[in-house]
Amino acid sequence: MRLTTRLFASVSALVLSASVGFSAPASLVADKVQINGDSRLIASGNIVVVYDGTSLTAETLIYDANTDQLIIEGPIEITDGSGTRILADSATLSSDLNDGILQSARLVFAENAQLAAAEIHRADGRYTQLYKSTLSSCKICETSETPLWEIRAKRVIHDAEDQQLYFDNATLRFWDVPVFYIPRLRLPDPTLRRARGFLVPSIRSSTELGLGVSVPYFIPIGDNRDVTFSPSITAHSRSLGWQYRQAYRTGRIQFDGAIGTDDLGYSGARGYLFGTGEFSLPDDFTLSLGIQLASDDNYLSDYGISETDWLETSVSLDRYRSDQAISLEFVNLESLRNTDDNRTQPTQSFDGTFEQKFELPHVAGVFDLGVSTHGHLRRSTVDGDDGRDLMRVSATAGWGNTWITGPGIVTTARAELREDQYFIYQDSSRDEAQSVFTPSASLMARLPLVRGTDSGATQVLEPIIQLTWSGDNDADIPNDDSQLIEFDEGNLFSTNRFGGYDVTEHGFAANLGVQFSHETQSGTKYATLVGRSLRSEEVTAYSDASGLSGTQSDWLVGASIDIGAAFGFQHRSLFDDDFSITKSETRLDWDHNRFDLSTNYAWLQADADEDRDDDVSEWTVETAYQLNHQWSALANWRYDFVAERASTAGIGLGFENECVDFDVSLSRSYTSSSSVSPSTVFGVSLSLTGFGTGGASNKSARSCGIPKI
């Protein structure tokens, strides 16, 4: 019966609306519609009016054709498709819903920020004028009508077309306490994502620069570009930072930088410039760009921008497919360490690589061909190691195959031929042109022994043996690209553990290992690996701390525990037959409800060949705790057992809900050198989220009442 009544009312209203004043297309649906005379239409009960993209819901609607006005009783809701709603108790509007007055009304934006006013005037469907209004995105509780923050104003004008808010006599309040007054204020409404104006300021205090503040100003330049200027003033410096971003149809670029002066003992201006870019090119190629420049070695650390030891400027072009890889890269490196001399370092380098895999009919296995080139330059023009420049061109051809034989033995064979042509300049102790031919072969056998337990777990015990051979030659090639060697689970079964081309293993070797894993039905997994490498002759290029020197490598032991995403444990150690540890690293990650913990301990034996004069023994801890839905705390700490003191330490406290994002942090660096002094940094950040800050918070709305830890 009710459905029939509503359908009849809807049809009647559509017919009558055209005759009494609504301009087509328009529709009205209500529980009851009646006509009084020739000029008055009265609708009541669950009213829905749709006209020219604007919809209205209400309980009572009276249309008077003589005045062309709608008299509406609420609750009323008006939406125009832009994500902004108007809620009111009663209203008097024009028939097109674009002009009129609403009482006890609220303007609600897409991100839940809302303007409440005693009265709202609409004009031309574009301007909304509010009197004695309050703006906030905070939840208002029944027990207290005071939000965490609000902006009160005598009058607010909302321009729906330009998405701007204009305030007269505005006051910012926290917990109803006025903290800031401005007679005229313009802000973007929350539906505008890229609006010109000030962003959230930040306060930072450091031992070197003192107390300072930075106030970013954002300027959009069209739909695909923008720039942000960040003037910063501290007790000891004045600087202007910037960030430029531009998006293209096939890529994007971003540049960050700053320039300024300070009284830290440097003459003239100091600054930096970092830039990145990435573009998708035809035929699946990718072009990547990177630039890192700084006025001096200490600028980045003095201003807390980066802890990097190197500045890298690069251009690369690459394409990777399932059977092919192409890569070209140019790199310029600048060391920021006071112990390095950039004139004698190979700071400029070029690398090119082409690899192709293919199969031949009626021939088992996969073949591969590759061509690569490398070159690097030093600025120094002296003869010998401090001025040597080098170029290399290499070609490789290989074949590999895997098959299963006998009682489940998995056998993998690999053979490779490599030819390297070197050109060495500014080093009279070596021949300028040298050719290196390196054949290699390997044969690996694995026997996975699998069983199931009564509890449903799966256990795998797998002994592995690999026999390798690499040819040797009498070439005198300087070792520039294979200085650091890592011996771990990833290269235990490898024919060559050097990272580059300048040095290769040679002779016969046997790589032995056994690994065991236990995985439960719930996904918990335990795994361990023990192995070592035996050689027919010593490779002198291996350092003592690498774990690979001599004819017998150190024992490699690795273990891991994974309990879903909640708990992870990894350990790796290298030790000799006397159980003297060369390297050891242990990491633990624990994510339990509101508590996160990551801790790592590393031990490295001193080794001059690896540019490490002292032992390394460091413990790092990073932890975070969610105190409740809004409050969180974090801490980090790194302790140097050799120096018997902390290296860095930091704590932080944050509060975040639907309308506020607040962070306070304190960090201390204890490290000192001839160019870096110990420093302490204190930072504070406050954002009014959900309004003018790029969107609403990800946190749920706060519990009613003043938030507590």
mmCIF file of all heavy atoms in Angstrom, residues 447-478:
data_model
loop_
_atom_site.group_PDB
_atom_site.id
_atom_site.type_symbol
_atom_site.label_atom_id
_atom_site.label_comp_id
_atom_site.label_asym_id
_atom_site.label_seq_id
_atom_site.Cartn_x
_atom_site.Cartn_y
_atom_site.Cartn_z
ATOM 1 N N LEU A 447 69.943 -33.652 -2.545
ATOM 2 C CA LEU A 447 69.064 -34.779 -2.257
ATOM 3 C C LEU A 447 68.055 -34.358 -1.199
ATOM 4 O O LEU A 447 68.300 -34.487 0.005
ATOM 5 C CB LEU A 447 69.866 -35.993 -1.774
ATOM 6 C CG LEU A 447 69.029 -37.242 -1.436
ATOM 7 C CD1 LEU A 447 68.229 -37.705 -2.650
ATOM 8 C CD2 LEU A 447 69.940 -38.359 -0.921
ATOM 9 N N PRO A 448 66.900 -33.816 -1.603
ATOM 10 C CA PRO A 448 65.891 -33.416 -0.621
ATOM 11 C C PRO A 448 65.221 -34.651 0.003
ATOM 12 O O PRO A 448 64.627 -35.463 -0.706
ATOM 13 C CB PRO A 448 64.889 -32.601 -1.453
ATOM 14 C CG PRO A 448 65.555 -32.351 -2.783
ATOM 15 C CD PRO A 448 66.500 -33.484 -2.972
ATOM 16 N N LEU A 449 65.336 -34.786 1.310
ATOM 17 C CA LEU A 449 64.699 -35.877 2.053
ATOM 18 C C LEU A 449 63.524 -35.283 2.818
ATOM 19 O O LEU A 449 63.702 -34.478 3.736
ATOM 20 C CB LEU A 449 65.702 -36.518 3.003
ATOM 21 C CG LEU A 449 66.988 -37.057 2.348
ATOM 22 C CD1 LEU A 449 67.969 -37.523 3.403
ATOM 23 C CD2 LEU A 449 66.661 -38.180 1.371
ATOM 24 N N VAL A 450 62.318 -35.666 2.439
ATOM 25 C CA VAL A 450 61.108 -35.048 2.962
ATOM 26 C C VAL A 450 60.327 -36.059 3.781
ATOM 27 O O VAL A 450 60.204 -37.234 3.400
ATOM 28 C CB VAL A 450 60.224 -34.510 1.811
ATOM 29 C CG1 VAL A 450 59.000 -33.781 2.363
ATOM 30 C CG2 VAL A 450 61.028 -33.592 0.897
ATOM 31 N N ARG A 451 59.779 -35.592 4.906
ATOM 32 C CA ARG A 451 58.893 -36.439 5.698
ATOM 33 C C ARG A 451 57.854 -35.572 6.398
ATOM 34 O O ARG A 451 58.058 -34.388 6.629
ATOM 35 C CB ARG A 451 59.675 -37.241 6.727
ATOM 36 C CG ARG A 451 60.128 -36.447 7.938
ATOM 37 C CD ARG A 451 60.581 -37.361 9.055
ATOM 38 N NE ARG A 451 60.847 -36.612 10.284
ATOM 39 C CZ ARG A 451 61.133 -37.186 11.452
ATOM 40 N NH1 ARG A 451 61.200 -38.503 11.537
ATOM 41 N NH2 ARG A 451 61.348 -36.436 12.529
ATOM 42 N N GLY A 452 56.734 -36.206 6.731
ATOM 43 C CA GLY A 452 55.681 -35.538 7.471
ATOM 44 C C GLY A 452 55.628 -36.047 8.897
ATOM 45 O O GLY A 452 55.888 -37.235 9.159
ATOM 46 N N THR A 453 55.291 -35.174 9.818
ATOM 47 C CA THR A 453 55.203 -35.562 11.227
ATOM 48 C C THR A 453 53.749 -35.863 11.591
ATOM 49 O O THR A 453 52.818 -35.588 10.833
ATOM 50 C CB THR A 453 55.742 -34.441 12.129
ATOM 51 O OG1 THR A 453 54.879 -33.304 12.023
ATOM 52 C CG2 THR A 453 57.144 -34.034 11.704
ATOM 53 N N ASP A 454 53.565 -36.432 12.776
ATOM 54 C CA ASP A 454 52.211 -36.757 13.239
ATOM 55 C C ASP A 454 51.358 -35.505 13.404
ATOM 56 O O ASP A 454 50.125 -35.557 13.293
ATOM 57 C CB ASP A 454 52.280 -37.512 14.571
ATOM 58 C CG ASP A 454 52.943 -38.879 14.424
ATOM 59 O OD1 ASP A 454 52.957 -39.392 13.272
ATOM 60 O OD2 ASP A 454 53.452 -39.416 15.424
ATOM 61 N N SER A 455 51.998 -34.362 13.674
ATOM 62 C CA SER A 455 51.253 -33.117 13.871
ATOM 63 C C SER A 455 50.910 -32.428 12.557
ATOM 64 O O SER A 455 50.269 -31.377 12.547
ATOM 65 C CB SER A 455 52.061 -32.157 14.742
ATOM 66 O OG SER A 455 53.292 -31.817 14.094
ATOM 67 N N GLY A 456 51.339 -33.002 11.428
ATOM 68 C CA GLY A 456 51.044 -32.418 10.127
ATOM 69 C C GLY A 456 52.129 -31.514 9.593
ATOM 70 O O GLY A 456 51.965 -30.928 8.522
ATOM 71 N N ALA A 457 53.244 -31.374 10.298
ATOM 72 C CA ALA A 457 54.341 -30.536 9.830
ATOM 73 C C ALA A 457 55.137 -31.246 8.740
ATOM 74 O O ALA A 457 55.100 -32.480 8.621
ATOM 75 C CB ALA A 457 55.254 -30.157 10.989
ATOM 76 N N THR A 458 55.860 -30.468 7.951
ATOM 77 C CA THR A 458 56.709 -31.000 6.889
ATOM 78 C C THR A 458 58.157 -30.683 7.204
ATOM 79 O O THR A 458 58.502 -29.530 7.465
ATOM 80 C CB THR A 458 56.337 -30.397 5.531
ATOM 81 O OG1 THR A 458 54.969 -30.691 5.236
ATOM 82 C CG2 THR A 458 57.220 -30.952 4.427
ATOM 83 N N GLN A 459 59.002 -31.699 7.162
ATOM 84 C CA GLN A 459 60.423 -31.535 7.421
ATOM 85 C C GLN A 459 61.218 -31.912 6.174
ATOM 86 O O GLN A 459 60.902 -32.898 5.506
ATOM 87 C CB GLN A 459 60.873 -32.400 8.599
ATOM 88 C CG GLN A 459 60.249 -32.008 9.928
ATOM 89 C CD GLN A 459 60.711 -32.879 11.067
ATOM 90 O OE1 GLN A 459 61.190 -33.996 10.867
ATOM 91 N NE2 GLN A 459 60.570 -32.380 12.297
ATOM 92 N N VAL A 460 62.233 -31.096 5.869
ATOM 93 C CA VAL A 460 63.083 -31.340 4.704
ATOM 94 C C VAL A 460 64.540 -31.281 5.149
ATOM 95 O O VAL A 460 64.989 -30.267 5.681
ATOM 96 C CB VAL A 460 62.836 -30.318 3.585
ATOM 97 C CG1 VAL A 460 63.741 -30.619 2.390
ATOM 98 C CG2 VAL A 460 61.380 -30.315 3.163
ATOM 99 N N LEU A 461 65.272 -32.372 4.931
ATOM 100 C CA LEU A 461 66.710 -32.432 5.166
ATOM 101 C C LEU A 461 67.379 -32.568 3.807
ATOM 102 O O LEU A 461 67.076 -33.505 3.055
ATOM 103 C CB LEU A 461 67.072 -33.606 6.066
ATOM 104 C CG LEU A 461 68.565 -33.808 6.348
ATOM 105 C CD1 LEU A 461 69.122 -32.644 7.161
ATOM 106 C CD2 LEU A 461 68.811 -35.134 7.070
ATOM 107 N N GLU A 462 68.302 -31.630 3.498
ATOM 108 C CA GLU A 462 68.854 -31.586 2.154
ATOM 109 C C GLU A 462 70.366 -31.412 2.186
ATOM 110 O O GLU A 462 70.868 -30.312 2.393
ATOM 111 C CB GLU A 462 68.213 -30.438 1.366
ATOM 112 C CG GLU A 462 68.601 -30.407 -0.102
ATOM 113 C CD GLU A 462 67.859 -29.321 -0.856
ATOM 114 O OE1 GLU A 462 67.564 -28.272 -0.235
ATOM 115 O OE2 GLU A 462 67.575 -29.512 -2.043
ATOM 116 N N PRO A 463 71.124 -32.500 1.992
ATOM 117 C CA PRO A 463 72.574 -32.359 1.808
ATOM 118 C C PRO A 463 72.874 -31.868 0.389
ATOM 119 O O PRO A 463 72.193 -32.260 -0.568
ATOM 120 C CB PRO A 463 73.100 -33.778 2.032
ATOM 121 C CG PRO A 463 71.936 -34.672 1.744
ATOM 122 C CD PRO A 463 70.700 -33.902 2.063
ATOM 123 N N ILE A 464 73.895 -31.006 0.270
ATOM 124 C CA ILE A 464 74.229 -30.403 -1.023
ATOM 125 C C ILE A 464 75.737 -30.456 -1.207
ATOM 126 O O ILE A 464 76.503 -30.160 -0.285
ATOM 127 C CB ILE A 464 73.759 -28.935 -1.089
ATOM 128 C CG1 ILE A 464 72.280 -28.809 -0.747
ATOM 129 C CG2 ILE A 464 74.035 -28.343 -2.472
ATOM 130 C CD1 ILE A 464 71.813 -27.380 -0.609
ATOM 131 N N ILE A 465 76.156 -30.821 -2.413
ATOM 132 C CA ILE A 465 77.573 -30.765 -2.776
ATOM 133 C C ILE A 465 77.695 -30.154 -4.162
ATOM 134 O O ILE A 465 76.902 -30.454 -5.060
ATOM 135 C CB ILE A 465 78.227 -32.170 -2.739
ATOM 136 C CG1 ILE A 465 79.715 -32.050 -3.089
ATOM 137 C CG2 ILE A 465 77.513 -33.154 -3.645
ATOM 138 C CD1 ILE A 465 80.503 -33.328 -2.890
ATOM 139 N N GLN A 466 78.660 -29.253 -4.301
ATOM 140 C CA GLN A 466 78.901 -28.605 -5.582
ATOM 141 C C GLN A 466 80.394 -28.653 -5.882
ATOM 142 O O GLN A 466 81.223 -28.275 -5.044
ATOM 143 C CB GLN A 466 78.417 -27.150 -5.568
ATOM 144 C CG GLN A 466 78.625 -26.431 -6.905
ATOM 145 C CD GLN A 466 78.331 -24.943 -6.822
ATOM 146 O OE1 GLN A 466 78.757 -24.280 -5.877
ATOM 147 N NE2 GLN A 466 77.603 -24.415 -7.795
ATOM 148 N N LEU A 467 80.733 -29.111 -7.070
ATOM 149 C CA LEU A 467 82.113 -29.126 -7.546
ATOM 150 C C LEU A 467 82.263 -28.040 -8.602
ATOM 151 O O LEU A 467 81.439 -27.934 -9.524
ATOM 152 C CB LEU A 467 82.460 -30.485 -8.146
ATOM 153 C CG LEU A 467 82.288 -31.695 -7.219
ATOM 154 C CD1 LEU A 467 82.607 -32.992 -7.966
ATOM 155 C CD2 LEU A 467 83.157 -31.558 -5.978
ATOM 156 N N THR A 468 83.293 -27.205 -8.454
ATOM 157 C CA THR A 468 83.493 -26.098 -9.386
ATOM 158 C C THR A 468 84.930 -26.082 -9.882
ATOM 159 O O THR A 468 85.853 -26.578 -9.217
ATOM 160 C CB THR A 468 83.172 -24.739 -8.732
ATOM 161 O OG1 THR A 468 84.162 -24.443 -7.739
ATOM 162 C CG2 THR A 468 81.796 -24.753 -8.071
ATOM 163 N N TRP A 469 85.100 -25.480 -11.045
ATOM 164 C CA TRP A 469 86.446 -25.261 -11.595
ATOM 165 C C TRP A 469 86.446 -23.959 -12.381
ATOM 166 O O TRP A 469 85.517 -23.659 -13.133
ATOM 167 C CB TRP A 469 86.850 -26.407 -12.513
ATOM 168 C CG TRP A 469 88.157 -26.127 -13.225
ATOM 169 C CD1 TRP A 469 89.421 -26.282 -12.747
ATOM 170 C CD2 TRP A 469 88.299 -25.614 -14.558
ATOM 171 N NE1 TRP A 469 90.350 -25.892 -13.671
ATOM 172 C CE2 TRP A 469 89.685 -25.480 -14.812
ATOM 173 C CE3 TRP A 469 87.402 -25.244 -15.548
ATOM 174 C CZ2 TRP A 469 90.182 -25.009 -16.015
ATOM 175 C CZ3 TRP A 469 87.895 -24.766 -16.754
ATOM 176 C CH2 TRP A 469 89.276 -24.661 -16.974
ATOM 177 N N SER A 470 87.502 -23.172 -12.177
ATOM 178 C CA SER A 470 87.687 -21.931 -12.929
ATOM 179 C C SER A 470 89.120 -21.870 -13.414
ATOM 180 O O SER A 470 90.058 -22.200 -12.664
ATOM 181 C CB SER A 470 87.395 -20.703 -12.054
ATOM 182 O OG SER A 470 86.053 -20.677 -11.640
ATOM 183 N N GLY A 471 89.308 -21.434 -14.641
ATOM 184 C CA GLY A 471 90.641 -21.335 -15.205
ATOM 185 C C GLY A 471 91.404 -20.142 -14.639
ATOM 186 O O GLY A 471 90.820 -19.186 -14.127
ATOM 187 N N ASP A 472 92.724 -20.179 -14.757
ATOM 188 C CA ASP A 472 93.599 -19.127 -14.259
ATOM 189 C C ASP A 472 94.389 -18.546 -15.416
ATOM 190 O O ASP A 472 94.473 -19.127 -16.497
ATOM 191 C CB ASP A 472 94.538 -19.685 -13.192
ATOM 192 C CG ASP A 472 95.240 -18.578 -12.420
ATOM 193 O OD1 ASP A 472 94.835 -17.415 -12.579
ATOM 194 O OD2 ASP A 472 96.174 -18.885 -11.668
ATOM 195 N N ASN A 473 94.981 -17.363 -15.219
ATOM 196 C CA ASN A 473 95.791 -16.722 -16.241
ATOM 197 C C ASN A 473 96.844 -15.867 -15.557
ATOM 198 O O ASN A 473 96.815 -15.665 -14.340
ATOM 199 C CB ASN A 473 94.917 -15.877 -17.181
ATOM 200 C CG ASN A 473 94.125 -14.834 -16.405
ATOM 201 O OD1 ASN A 473 94.676 -13.800 -16.026
ATOM 202 N ND2 ASN A 473 92.845 -15.120 -16.162
ATOM 203 N N ASP A 474 97.752 -15.352 -16.353
ATOM 204 C CA ASP A 474 98.861 -14.567 -15.810
ATOM 205 C C ASP A 474 98.654 -13.067 -15.966
ATOM 206 O O ASP A 474 99.603 -12.287 -15.814
ATOM 207 C CB ASP A 474 100.166 -14.962 -16.515
ATOM 208 C CG ASP A 474 100.529 -16.423 -16.258
ATOM 209 O OD1 ASP A 474 100.190 -16.918 -15.161
ATOM 210 O OD2 ASP A 474 101.118 -17.051 -17.156
ATOM 211 N N ALA A 475 97.437 -12.626 -16.263
ATOM 212 C CA ALA A 475 97.196 -11.196 -16.455
ATOM 213 C C ALA A 475 97.371 -10.443 -15.138
ATOM 214 O O ALA A 475 97.097 -10.967 -14.060
ATOM 215 C CB ALA A 475 95.790 -10.978 -17.010
ATOM 216 N N ASP A 476 97.850 -9.202 -15.251
ATOM 217 C CA ASP A 476 98.054 -8.350 -14.075
ATOM 218 C C ASP A 476 96.986 -7.259 -14.081
ATOM 219 O O ASP A 476 97.214 -6.143 -14.541
ATOM 220 C CB ASP A 476 99.456 -7.745 -14.117
ATOM 221 C CG ASP A 476 99.751 -6.898 -12.881
ATOM 222 O OD1 ASP A 476 99.035 -7.049 -11.874
ATOM 223 O OD2 ASP A 476 100.687 -6.075 -12.941
ATOM 224 N N ILE A 477 95.810 -7.607 -13.586
ATOM 225 C CA ILE A 477 94.666 -6.695 -13.606
ATOM 226 C C ILE A 477 94.509 -6.076 -12.219
ATOM 227 O O ILE A 477 94.445 -6.785 -11.214
ATOM 228 C CB ILE A 477 93.369 -7.437 -13.991
ATOM 229 C CG1 ILE A 477 93.553 -8.156 -15.324
ATOM 230 C CG2 ILE A 477 92.202 -6.459 -14.047
ATOM 231 C CD1 ILE A 477 93.895 -7.248 -16.478
ATOM 232 N N PRO A 478 94.417 -4.758 -12.104
ATOM 233 C CA PRO A 478 94.203 -4.133 -10.789
ATOM 234 C C PRO A 478 92.787 -4.427 -10.289
ATOM 235 O O PRO A 478 91.829 -4.473 -11.065
ATOM 236 C CB PRO A 478 94.381 -2.639 -11.075
ATOM 237 C CG PRO A 478 94.053 -2.488 -12.527
ATOM 238 C CD PRO A 478 94.514 -3.748 -13.190
#
